[in-house]
Amino acid sequence: MFEAIFKRSPTQTRACARHRAAPFVQERERYLQWMLNEGYSVDAVQQAASRLLVVIRELGEEKIARGPSPKEIEKAAAAWARRRGSRSSSAEIWTYKFFVQIATTWLRFLGRLREEQLPPPPYAAALDEYCAWLREERALASQTVER
């Protein structure tokens, strides 16, 4: 997998070795293959592969294995963006946002993101009644009602 992603890179051998030696090889390969299947460019997948190594280093293997929360991801992203020493605050913001995005997407893909459960909205009971009415009285299909 890494060979296919880094085949145009002049440092292909070193890049592949670095990615193979890092933790969560199978998980990263599955995610990167998914990205390719979804139509992401090879360049985007290559960049994601490199950023995943940063995510693993910053969050730590234990935290990734147990599943970090979005707050933990944001904290690691902020620390990494500050340490990186961007020359402008806008570059630091984009660095932070990209870290959060790639970490969140990868961990959600793996089913390891500990997402906080939001309380139901105050109108949840009324919405449930309305949906039941649409299905029973109006004979709408469940798929239509769910939209």
Side-chain angles (χ1 to χ4, degrees):
M1 165 47 111
F2 296 116
E3 289 77 11
I5 295 171
F6 293 103
K7 68 182 174 189
R8 294 182 297 167
S9 172
T11 59
Q12 175 189 3
T13 307
R14 284 191 315 224
C16 290
R18 186 173 64 249
H19 284 274
R20 291 237 173 269
F24 304 105
V25 174
Q26 292 176 338
E27 291 90 339
R28 287 183 290 117
E29 283 184 327
R30 272 197 344 257
Y31 177 69
L32 298 172
Q33 185 61 56
W34 172 82
M35 288 182 73
L36 288 171
N37 293 345
E38 289 293 308
Y40 286 84
S41 71
V42 173
D43 289 337
V45 175
Q46 196 176 58
Q47 189 175 25
S50 297
R51 292 293 185 233
L52 285 174
L53 296 181
V54 173
V55 168
I56 292 167
R57 185 182 70 229
E58 294 299 316
L59 283 173
E61 292 179 53
E62 288 180 30
K63 201 173 282 185
I64 291 171
R66 74 162 163 75
S69 69
K71 296 269 188 229
E72 291 172 313
I73 293 170
E74 291 168 6
K75 185 177 175 183
W80 178 66
R82 276 192 308 275
R83 272 196 321 276
R84 215 163 164 250
S86 299
R87 292 191 177 141
S88 71
S89 61
S90 63
E92 188 173 307
I93 290 168
W94 281 110
T95 301
Y96 167 85
K97 286 182 177 183
F98 189 65
F99 183 105
V100 170
Q101 184 268 327
I102 194 73
T104 302
T105 307
W106 179 52
L107 292 164
R108 186 175 287 134
F109 174 82
L110 296 176
R112 291 187 184 164
L113 182 64
R114 279 190 302 130
E115 300 194 65
E116 298 151 6
Q117 296 296 321
L118 298 175
Y123 53 83
L127 183 60
D128 290 340
E129 277 182 39
Y130 180 66
C131 290
W133 177 80
L134 287 173
R135 279 190 299 275
E136 294 163 16
E137 300 295 323
R138 302 288 300 200
L140 294 178
S142 293
Q143 289 177 332
T144 303
V145 173
E146 288 173 13
R147 289 185 185 183

